[in-house]
Amino acid sequence: QFVESGGGWVPPGGSLTLSCTPSGFTLHYYAIVWFRQAPERGREGIAVIVYNEGTTYYDDSVKGRFIISRDSDKHTVYLQMNNLKPEDTGVYSCAARGFMGKANAILLDGARMEHWGNGTLVTVSS
């Protein structure tokens, strides 16, 4: 229901941009969340955008380094990741739930997500 792309290997301090494109539905009236899952940690919600309003919210672990955005023409959500660290390594997935309002921390907990992607692997190492 989502197709993610853009993952790969990058050295510490490098950058990557991930893409998240829906299949079979539109993003209007949804909040879209990027999740990260590392082998030693559970799934973490790290960034959210409310598609219609464009408001965003970030987990402290990525605040100031990652930027979530949307392109209405391409109907795609992006995650620009800068100054990557080894602890950013993991499978990155996007998911969406119906939502109207301001982006907030509660949306990062992953509850009531309706659509998921399979994820794309990001590896940060030297």
Side-chain angles (χ1 to χ4, degrees), residues 62-126:
V62 304
K63 196 174 296 181
R65 299 189 297 125
F66 291 10
I67 300 172
I68 188 171
S69 62
R70 84 251 201 253
D71 184 326
S72 298
D73 291 338
K74 295 183 179 179
H75 207 58
T76 296
V77 171
Y78 300 96
L79 185 68
Q80 180 181 340
M81 306 185 295
N82 302 313
N83 190 22
L84 282 159
K85 304 175 181 180
E87 53 264 41
D88 293 318
T89 294
V91 176
Y92 285 71
S93 304
C94 56
R97 56 169 282 188
F99 183 81
M100 294 290 288
K102 187 177 179 181
N104 59 75
I106 295 174
L107 293 167
L108 297 183
D109 69 7
R112 292 185 282 172
M113 293 294 157
E114 301 168 46
H115 305 282
W116 285 90
N118 290 326
T120 184
L121 178 62
V122 173
T123 303
V124 185
S125 71
S126 54

Side-chain angles (χ1 to χ4, degrees), residues 15-30:
S15 298
L16 280 176
T17 298
L18 307 182
S19 301
C20 170
T21 303
S23 176
F25 70 102
T26 67
L27 293 176
H28 297 289
Y29 309 111
Y30 281 91

Side-chain angles (χ1 to χ4, degrees), residues 31-53:
I32 299 91
V33 183
W34 279 101
F35 292 89
R36 174 177 64 202
Q37 184 154 17
E40 67 276 11
R41 301 197 303 268
R43 187 177 62 206
E44 306 168 289
I46 57 173
V48 57
I49 186 166
V50 177
Y51 191 82
N52 284 7
E53 287 82 0

